[in-house]
């Protein structure tokens, strides 16, 4: 086969797959700009928003202007269907989980990587073996455990006027996310801390820093690439997590984005409100897309590092 | 190194948050799940010891579990197999220096960062039998085009209508309909994985092979594939584990109520525990799932520990 023909074939295949991946998303964004009427009449073309209303509808007062349909779709999704709340909830749950994962993960990884003590290896193994636990296995016991952990916790916190509520609350979800993300995070970060020269710590100690300051001011900044990798991978996992959120969150206003999208879509399909459905999809898809485009290099590198080590 | 007193305190402070959280919310529930699977319990009344009855029920009570398991296997073999094929293929194409490799890599990988719920709903819309269902309309147009050509060339053949528009998302076809979704999503991930491994192979290997007159295909099978075997194994385990844990797509596409024709292990587990309050049965499913994941990991670790090729 001629080199040129072969080359053309290679590019055709690659570009075709690119279209298969990208076009459904362009289509989703386009459809979120259409009214339900337009979705059924003009599902594949350029939205009327850009081309203008077709002749036959121009003088029709019952047909809204395209720009109004866009507003209707997104207002319905954001306000009436609580996507605004879902978005905020996702941000709260994800950011608090990430803070916990990185803080506790880095602390434990540092202690395990830089200090020799009895049981060090066993403890590391204990944490890392957690990577094999499927979410489905711990799901059911956690559901029942939440009840009495809440009781104990509330009894403990009562003198301070607090209550611990794990069922149908972000607290419970965050604690589970942290616990189940620790194994992978500790694995990655232990590797990082081990690769840092031990003389750094000794120099810090000699200069009169305590162990805490050595960790905070010397080790943590040096481990930043590892922290970034762990943060990105955990962010995507938690932002998109569905199963635990499904079990632990029941109130509509507390739901995270994937969960909210799933419940709204059932109503939207029932009412054949396609505009709402597509707008909801766009609201869920765009943030991860944006994060991905910004961090894509670190992400793919992190994944290969994680996979080759794990 | 002998630890000083304040260092002991330091270690205690640094290790206990992770230890407590992991123990309470991961390790203990794992043990309790094993306990649950040996009990008969509706979640409210006093649990009763059941021994291995729950596990026997999985296989004897009805064919629900074996059905679900067979669906996981279908997803593993066809979804996983196709994903492996496409990702290896694209990785090999891009590895041999195409222009715009970065662009292809970024776009192919991109579905992996999207929420699986959003992807499932997107495909519900793509599969739709209504005016805007892209796939059905595409197939109808394709059939019309072929029919037109046949007529134009003067063949007296009428094509059957192939049942179009086809109800892809109906329970009885769903297991097969999720396979394209899996391939669409996962191909980019495995491509990036394999490509990273391929880029570690020294260029001199290929130069030498080219001098010896080996074709591109021969080079792929005799240099590239053997040298990325370890990463290939890792990819294989990931795919097996992923297929065993499969949940979100089915759950969402079935509007949270899968039927016998569409259940996989994880959806069956969920329904048994949270809708039918049969905690023992559901936990037995979870334990089987865990054992299978564990075995898959073990087998692969075993395989990849064989002599790694040095280069």
């Amino acid at each position: 086969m001629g080199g040129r023909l072969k080359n053309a074939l290679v590019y055709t295949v690659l570009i075709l797959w690119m279209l298969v991946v990208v076009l459904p998303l362009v289509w989703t964004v386009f459809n979120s700009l259409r009214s339900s009427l337009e979705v059924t009449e003009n599902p594949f073309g350029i939205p009327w928003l850009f081309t203008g209303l077709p002749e036959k509808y121009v003088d029709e007062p019952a047909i809204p202007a395209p720009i109004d349909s866009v507003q209707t779709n997104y207002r319905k999704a954001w306000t009436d269907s609580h996507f605004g709340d879902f978005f905020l909830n996702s941000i709260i749950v994800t950011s608090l989980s990430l803070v916990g994962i990185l803080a506790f993960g880095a602390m434990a990884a540092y202690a395990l990587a830089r200090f020799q003590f009895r049981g060090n290896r066993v403890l590391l193994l204990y944490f890392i073996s957690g990577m094999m636990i499927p979410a489905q296995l711990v799901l059911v016991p956690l559901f029942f455990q939440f009840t009495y952990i809440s009781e104990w916790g509330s009894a403990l916190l009562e003198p301070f006027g607090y209550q611990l509520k794990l069922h149908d609350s972000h607290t419970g979800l965050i604690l589970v996310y942290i616990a189940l993300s620790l194994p992978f995070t500790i694995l990655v970060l232990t590797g990082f801390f081990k690769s840092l020269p031990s003389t750094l710590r000794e120099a810090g100690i000699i200069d009169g820093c305590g162990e805490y300051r050595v960790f905070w001011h010397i080790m943590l900044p040096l481990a930043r690439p590892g922290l970034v990798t762990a943060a990105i991978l955990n962010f995507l996992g938690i932002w998109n997590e569905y199963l635990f959120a499904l079990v632990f969150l029941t109130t509509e206003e507390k739901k995270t984005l994937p969960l909210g999208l799933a419940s709204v879509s059932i109503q939207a399909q029932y009412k054949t409100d396609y505009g709402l459905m597509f707008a909801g999809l766009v609201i869920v898809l765009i943030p991860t897309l944006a994060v991905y485009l910004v961090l894509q290099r670190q992400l793919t590198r992190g994944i290969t590092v994680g996979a080759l080590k794990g | 190194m002998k630890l000083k007193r304040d260092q002991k305190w330091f270690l205690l402070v640094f290790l206990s948050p992770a230890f407590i959280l992991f123990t309470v919310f991961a390790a203990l529930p794992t043990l309790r799940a094993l306990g649950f699977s040996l009990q008969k319990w509706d979640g409210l009344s006093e649990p009763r010891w059941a021994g291995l009855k729950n596990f026997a029920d999985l296989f004897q009570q009805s064919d629900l579990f074996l059905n679900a398991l067979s669906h996981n296997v279908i997803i593993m073999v066809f979804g996983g197999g196709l994903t492996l094929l496409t990702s290896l293929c694209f990785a090999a194409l891009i590895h041999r220096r195409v222009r715009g490799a970065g662009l292809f890599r970024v776009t192919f990988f991109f579905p992996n960062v999207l929420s699986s719920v959003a992807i499932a709903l997107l495909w519900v819309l793509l599969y739709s039998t209504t005016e805007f269902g892209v796939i059905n309309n595409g197939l109808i147009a394709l059939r019309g085009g072929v029919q037109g050509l046949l007529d134009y060339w003067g063949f007296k053949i009428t094509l059957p209508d192939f049942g179009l528009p086809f109800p892809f998302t109906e329970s009885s076809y769903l297991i097969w309909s999720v396979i394209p979704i899996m391939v669409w999503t996962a191909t980019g991930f495995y491509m990036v994985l394999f490509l990273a491994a391929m880029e570690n192979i020294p260029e001199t290997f290929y130069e030498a092979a080219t001098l010896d007159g080996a074709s591109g295909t021969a080079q792929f099978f005799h240099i590239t594939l053997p040298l990325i075997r370890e990463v290939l194994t890792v990819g294989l385990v990931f795919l097996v584990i992923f297929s065993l844990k499969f949940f979100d797509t089915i759950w969402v596409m079935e509007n949270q109520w899968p039927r016998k024709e569409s259940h996989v292990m994880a959806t069956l587990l969920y329904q048994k525990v949270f809708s039918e309050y049969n905690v023992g049965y559901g936990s037995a499913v979870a334990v089987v799932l865990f054992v299978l994941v564990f075995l898959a990991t073990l087998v692969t670790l075993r395989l990849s520990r064989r002599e790694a090729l040095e280069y």
Side-chain angles (χ1 to χ4, degrees), chain A residues 6-7 10-11 13-15 17-18 20-22 24-25 27-28 31 39-41 43-44 104-112 114-118 123 126-146 148-149 166 172 175-176 178-180 182-183 186 201 205 211-212 215 236 239-243 246-247 257-259 261-263 265-266 269 274 277-278 281 284-285 288-289 292-293 296 299-301 303-304 306-308 310, chain B residues 1 3-4 6-7 9-11 13-15 17-19 21-30 32-34 36 41-44 86 90 93-94 97-100 102-119 121-126 130-134 137 183-185 187-189 192-193 196-197 200 216-217 231 234 238 244-248 251-252 255-256 266 269-270 273-274 279 282-283 286-287 289-290 293-294 297-298 301:
Chain A
K6 210 160 146 187
N7 243 338
V10 167
Y11 281 108
V13 171
L14 291 176
I15 288 171
W17 187 259
M18 194 159 91
V20 166
V21 169
V22 174
L25 296 146
W27 179 71
T28 309
N31 275 353
V39 169
T40 47
E41 277 202 21
F44 305 119
F104 300 150
M107 282 156 64
Y110 176 67
L112 289 168
R114 310 300 316 200
F115 292 84
Q116 298 300 319
F117 55 91
R118 264 181 57 184
L123 199 55
Y126 175 64
F127 280 126
I128 290 178
S129 64
M131 277 174 48
M132 266 192 295
I133 303 174
Q136 286 90 347
L137 186 71
V138 291
L139 183 74
V140 179
L142 274 176
F143 182 79
F144 294 105
Q145 224 167 290
F146 267 16
Y148 56 79
I149 294 180
L166 296 181
L175 290 174
V176 172
I178 295 177
L180 289 177
L182 280 174
I186 289 179
R201 180 179 148 261
I205 300 281
E211 296 286 359
Y212 298 94
F215 172 72
L236 287 173
W239 184 267
N240 293 331
E241 205 281 334
Y242 179 59
L243 182 57
L246 177 70
V247 173
L257 272 177
L259 194 58
L261 176 66
S263 71
S265 84
I266 293 179
Q269 277 172 329
Y274 302 122
M277 177 124 184
F278 282 106
L281 269 175
V284 175
L285 293 175
T288 35
L289 173 65
Y292 172 60
L293 289 181
Q296 131 318 94
L299 175 65
T300 41
R301 199 188 313 130
I303 277 171
T304 37
L308 298 185
Chain B
M1 184 169 82
L3 290 174
K4 281 182 264 156
D6 57 336
Q7 280 181 326
W9 273 109
F10 173 79
L11 285 180
V13 169
F14 266 45
L15 285 169
F19 181 78
L21 277 174
F22 179 74
T23 306
V24 172
F25 293 104
L28 285 181
T30 304
R32 292 212 35 166
L34 300 179
F36 280 169
W41 193 33
D42 59 7
L44 287 170
T86 47
F90 293 146
L93 291 183
I94 290 180
R97 306 267 132 97
V98 293
R99 253 193 249 165
L103 180 68
F104 290 126
R105 201 195 295 234
V106 171
T107 40
F108 287 15
F109 185 84
F110 144 75
N112 285 287
V113 305
L114 304 178
S115 133
S116 50
V117 173
I119 291 177
L121 288 172
L122 172 61
W123 278 79
V124 168
L125 296 165
L126 292 174
T130 54
E131 299 89 337
F132 59 84
V134 176
N137 279 301
V183 177
W184 183 80
T185 316
T187 293
F189 176 87
V192 166
L193 198 65
N200 278 335
T217 330
V231 178
V234 172
F238 281 4
L244 290 170
K245 291 169 50 173
F246 209 78
F247 176 82
D248 299 4
W251 193 253
V252 170
N255 280 339
Q256 319 207 351
L269 178 169
Y270 189 101
V273 173
F274 295 106
V279 179
S283 299
V287 170
L289 197 156
F290 172 60
V293 167
F294 187 77
T297 322
L298 218 62
L301 283 180

Side-chain angles (χ1 to χ4, degrees), chain A residues 16-242:
Chain A
L16 265 181
W17 187 259
M18 194 159 91
L19 292 178
V20 166
V21 169
V22 174
L23 281 184
L25 296 146
V26 176
W27 179 71
T28 309
V29 174
F30 272 8
N31 275 353
S32 77
L33 307 176
R34 306 184 218 262
S35 62
S36 291
L37 170 87
E38 192 189 337
V39 169
T40 47
E41 277 202 21
N42 175 31
F44 305 119
I46 306 288
W48 293 343
L49 178 67
F50 304 128
T51 58
L53 271 182
E55 287 288 314
K56 56 176 175 173
Y57 291 136
V58 170
D59 295 321
E60 195 79 46
I63 305 292
I67 184 72
D68 292 335
S69 315
V70 178
Q71 271 181 359
T72 315
N73 288 345
Y74 280 92
R75 200 200 53 237
K76 256 196 282 184
W78 190 260
T79 330
D80 305 354
S81 299
H82 302 290
F83 271 93
D85 293 332
F86 303 154
F87 206 95
L88 194 67
N89 293 336
S90 275
I91 289 180
I92 292 171
V93 169
T94 311
S95 54
L96 289 181
S97 303
L98 277 186
V99 169
I101 292 165
L102 293 182
F104 300 150
M107 282 156 64
Y110 176 67
L112 289 168
R114 310 300 316 200
F115 292 84
Q116 298 300 319
F117 55 91
R118 264 181 57 184
N120 178 317
R121 285 177 56 88
V122 178
L123 199 55
L124 183 62
L125 203 68
Y126 175 64
F127 280 126
I128 290 178
S129 64
M131 277 174 48
M132 266 192 295
I133 303 174
Q136 286 90 347
L137 186 71
V138 291
L139 183 74
V140 179
L142 274 176
F143 182 79
F144 294 105
Q145 224 167 290
F146 267 16
T147 313
Y148 56 79
I149 294 180
S150 300
E151 283 166 17
W152 294 343
S154 297
L156 220 69
L157 292 172
E158 213 183 351
F160 310 100
Y162 287 107
Q163 259 203 330
L164 185 66
K165 187 169 180 288
L166 296 181
H167 273 298
D168 194 21
S169 93
H170 293 158
T171 321
L173 200 58
I174 291 169
L175 290 174
V176 172
Y177 284 159
I178 295 177
L180 289 177
S181 310
L182 280 174
F184 173 76
T185 311
I186 289 179
L187 176 73
V188 171
L189 292 181
T190 324
F192 254 92
F193 283 122
K194 273 194 178 142
S195 69
L196 301 178
S198 65
T199 44
L200 278 174
R201 180 179 148 261
E202 286 147 23
I205 300 281
I206 290 169
D207 284 348
C209 291
E211 296 286 359
Y212 298 94
R213 286 192 58 187
V214 169
F215 172 72
W216 190 254
H217 291 290
I218 303 178
M219 291 306 189
L220 215 49
L222 285 172
R224 207 150 96 195
L227 290 173
V228 171
T229 304
I232 298 175
L233 293 179
N234 283 318
F235 164 79
L236 287 173
I238 294 173
W239 184 267
N240 293 331
E241 205 281 334
Y242 179 59

Side-chain angles (χ1 to χ4, degrees), chain A residues 251-273:
Chain A
T251 314
E252 193 73 9
E253 286 78 15
K254 287 182 184 161
K255 288 181 174 175
T256 53
L257 272 177
L259 194 58
L261 176 66
S263 71
V264 169
S265 84
I266 293 179
Q267 306 156 24
Q269 277 172 329
Y270 183 68
K271 288 187 285 191
T272 60
D273 190 345

